[in-house]
Amino acid sequence: MAKASRRSTSSRRGGGESPETVVPGRGTEMSEGGMLLYAGILLNPGDMLELEFSTPSHSRMKAVVRYRDGYCFGLEFIAPITA
């Protein structure tokens, strides 16, 4: 039985003129092209968001939602965000 790696993430979603919403989440099944994200926010396929990973370097990525099943989201990474 293989264990999935889990990483703590935060997702940010901007909506027009409103401020960003920061939501903690749990990422699994990470690859170079994307990951699964469990987060308590309603997202739909096509929505864009920013992810910040709780690592020593605090990596940030842009991603697009490609799949949704309840509060589980399949994300495709778009580009790293430079500081």
Side-chain angles (χ1 to χ4, degrees):
M1 179 180 214
K3 281 187 168 182
S5 62
R6 295 177 181 255
R7 296 187 187 260
S8 182
T9 63
S10 293
S11 61
R12 298 175 185 270
R13 181 172 176 230
E17 298 297 319
S18 64
E20 292 180 340
T21 302
V22 178
V23 178
R26 174 74 60 173
T28 67
E29 306 297 325
M30 185 180 291
S31 72
E32 288 183 22
M35 65 183 283
L36 283 177
L37 174 68
Y38 295 88
I41 187 171
L42 293 178
L43 298 170
N44 292 303
D47 285 350
M48 299 286 295
L49 63 148
E50 293 179 11
L51 300 170
E52 183 174 305
F53 297 93
S54 298
T55 61
S57 63
H58 293 284
S59 303
R60 293 175 60 204
M61 295 287 294
K62 286 187 181 179
V64 62
V65 177
R66 295 295 185 200
Y67 168 82
R68 175 184 169 202
D69 184 9
Y71 292 99
C72 175
F73 307 98
L75 305 180
E76 177 186 357
F77 295 139
I78 303 299
I81 300 170
T82 56

